[in-house]
Amino acid sequence: MKAVRYHAYGDSDVLRVEEAERPTAAPGHVVLKVAGAAFNPVDAMIRAGGFHQFAPVEFPHTPGMDASGTVAETGEGVTGWSVGDAVVASLAINAPGAAAEYIAVPADALAAAPRTVPLADASALPGVGLTAWQGLYEHAKLRSGQRLLVNGAGGGVGRIAVQLAKRAGAEVTATASARSLDRVKAAGADRIVDYTAGPVAEALAGQRFDAVFHLVRTAPEEVARMAELVAEGGVLVSATVPAPEGAGRGVRTEMMSMRGDAGQLAELVALVDAGELTVDVAERLPLAEAKAVHDRFAAGTLAGKTVLVP
Ligand SMILES: NC(=O)c1ccc[n+]([C@@H]2O[C@H](COP(=O)([O-])OP(=O)(O)OC[C@H]3O[C@@H](n4cnc5c(N)ncnc54)[C@H](OP(=O)(O)O)[C@@H]3O)[C@@H](O)[C@H]2O)c1
């Protein structure tokens, strides 16, 4: 089978499409015929060796933590899933990834794929959906009527976060640039601040939010400025750079780390099928474009979700 692989950490040049052995289903696992492997920023960070100390990969490694596909084989002891089922999964950070024709996945990581979006596009849901879900509900404990600031709402996580927060009854202010304005508006943001027009903290000076969800890889000082926008007793959840401790005024700061959760993924899928959550995919590209996708991400020119389709 064909798979994107790399044999050492490095820049995007390490990415190749190679002939690889098709995996088999170990006990408790299934083999998926991959329909889509959405790109996430973490794929580039893993490739560059950013996680080698706490989650080293085994080489050759196939990137891609988000998968959609159909079950092609079930291992011993797998119940609840059959050959032909359409599914989605969020894969472990150092597990063999989804940018391949077939992958082996633990059966307990699977959720049924949404019926209302093309199967390849469904791979754009797990990582961003779970990050937004856990950031808002588990870390920020967002409640109806609260004021939320999503800093970095133009990205994949941000657009889902805006939709989930509106659904939860929050009043949402979002930061985005012109290229994402329409998508963030469509997600339901009440107010959008163009972060390219000047410092966000200045544009929002004097305002206070019950929760700030920080999704931009900034200098620590920038996160500290975001913490100043949090109301007394509120919370800043960062998915990128650790928030400063001791922000004062009873402000809680949390650094989050998304974890796979098939139950939450099933709830996200149900929202998609109920028409309450939109998965928007900007482009679908063949595996051979993996290096170009990583290059465009590094250059900041990747706008919207990109899905690799084997
Ligand atoms: N800790 C975790 O568990 C976890 C999980 C998932 C993601 N993350 C991290 O969270 C971040 C967002 O992930 P993602 O998947 O949403 O990334 P993404 O789809 O690549 O989106 C990034 C977005 O950031 C926006 N942006 C860039 N600079 C900005 C600035 N100065 N102010 C406001 N927005 C800015 C851009 O929006 P415009 O298009 O509007 O310009 C861009 O679309 C990444 O750094 C990722 O690594 C962490």
Side-chain angles (χ1 to χ4, degrees):
M1 69 162 191
K2 295 267 184 278
V4 177
R5 304 205 298 185
Y6 50 94
H7 295 256
Y9 296 120
D11 62 24
S12 65
D13 287 336
V14 298
L15 294 165
R16 317 239 159 83
V17 177
E18 295 182 336
E19 202 55 47
E21 204 171 313
R22 182 181 149 162
T24 52
H29 287 61
V30 305
V31 170
L32 294 190
K33 182 174 182 1
V34 177
F39 172 81
N40 286 289
V42 70
D43 298 331
M45 293 158 69
I46 297 168
R47 186 215 70 227
F51 295 96
H52 78 279
Q53 278 180 327
F54 76 92
V57 302
E58 200 172 293
F59 294 118
H61 179 71
T62 293
M65 283 180 64
D66 270 346
S68 63
T70 46
V71 175
E73 189 186 324
T74 56
E76 199 186 312
V78 171
T79 54
W81 300 106
S82 306
V83 171
D85 286 347
V87 296
V88 286
S90 170
L91 310 177
I93 193 162
N94 54 356
E101 288 180 295
Y102 293 88
I103 50 164
V105 185
D108 61 9
L110 302 176
R115 287 170 280 100
T116 50
V117 297
L119 188 54
D121 291 9
S123 69
L125 178 67
V128 296
L130 291 170
T131 305
W133 183 286
Q134 291 164 16
L136 294 179
Y137 299 152
E138 295 183 356
H139 293 273
K141 305 194 191 314
L142 190 71
R143 296 188 309 276
S144 179
Q146 288 193 317
R147 290 154 300 167
L148 171 74
L149 170 63
V150 180
N151 191 30
V157 176
R159 295 196 305 279
I160 298 277
V162 171
Q163 294 180 71
L164 291 180
K166 284 308 296 173
R167 202 181 151 270
E171 183 190 307
V172 180
T173 299
T175 66
S177 71
R179 66 177 182 180
S180 296
L181 193 69
D182 289 345
R183 281 191 285 255
V184 176
K185 249 188 214 158
D190 297 294
R191 178 171 171 215
I192 301 172
V193 176
D194 182 350
Y195 69 85
T196 62
V200 169
E202 272 175 35
L204 295 171
Q207 301 190 40
R208 289 285 184 268
F209 298 89
D210 301 298
V212 172
F213 196 14
H214 184 70
L215 299 169
V216 188
R217 207 156 283 282
T218 55
E221 307 85 74
E222 182 68 19
V223 198
R225 276 194 284 274
M226 287 293 137
E228 287 166 15
L229 297 174
V230 179
E232 193 169 338
V235 61
L236 180 139
V237 178
S238 176
T240 55
V241 182
E245 284 180 19
R249 299 178 294 111
V251 170
R252 198 161 51 87
T253 55
E254 292 202 13
M255 175 73 200
M256 72 164 290
S257 187
M258 185 275 284
R259 57 170 209 288
D261 186 313
Q264 291 175 352
L265 187 50
E267 295 197 55
L268 287 157
V269 166
L271 291 178
V272 171
D273 280 341
E276 292 186 40
L277 188 62
T278 302
V279 179
D280 52 5
V281 170
E283 48 186 351
R284 301 154 196 85
L285 298 169
L287 295 183
E289 293 296 315
K291 173 181 155 35
V293 170
H294 282 230
D295 284 341
R296 285 167 56 207
F297 168 71
T301 56
L302 204 62
K305 277 314 259 181
T306 299
V307 169
L308 291 176
V309 179

